Amino acid sequence: MDCLNDRLSKKDLGAFYTHPVYANLAVRELVLPAANAAIKAGKKDYVILDRCAGTGNLESALIGLKDDNGDELISHCIVSLMNIGNTKSLMKTSWIK
C-alpha cells in the first residue's frame, strides 16, 4: 500500500497505513479469537501490542468489542508510536486527545 500513495499521503498517513476495513477484519478474525483462546487456556491476562499505532485504526476497531471475560479489548492494548509524525496523526483522531 505504501507504494501506491504519493509522498504527501505517506507523510500524512505514515509509510505504512492499514485501512479501517482491514483493521476491523484483523480484530474480528485474529485478535478477538486469540484473546479468547488465551482465556480458555487459563491465562489471567493478555496484551494486544500495536507497535506501529499510526492513525489508530487498530485501536478504533478494538473499542466496544469484549472478550469472553467481558473485558473490552482496548483495555488490554499497549500502543507504541514510531515517530513524531505518528504522534501527530494519532492526536488528530477522535478516540484520543
Side-chain angles (χ1 to χ4, degrees), residues 66-78:
K66 296 186 177 185
D67 62 26
D68 287 345
N69 283 342
D71 291 341
E72 198 169 15
L73 293 180
I74 192 69
S75 69
H76 293 269
C77 186
I78 296 174

Side-chain angles (χ1 to χ4, degrees), residues 38-49:
I39 292 167
K40 282 184 182 176
K43 304 293 182 191
K44 294 185 180 197
D45 200 4
Y46 59 88
V47 172
I48 301 167
L49 176 62

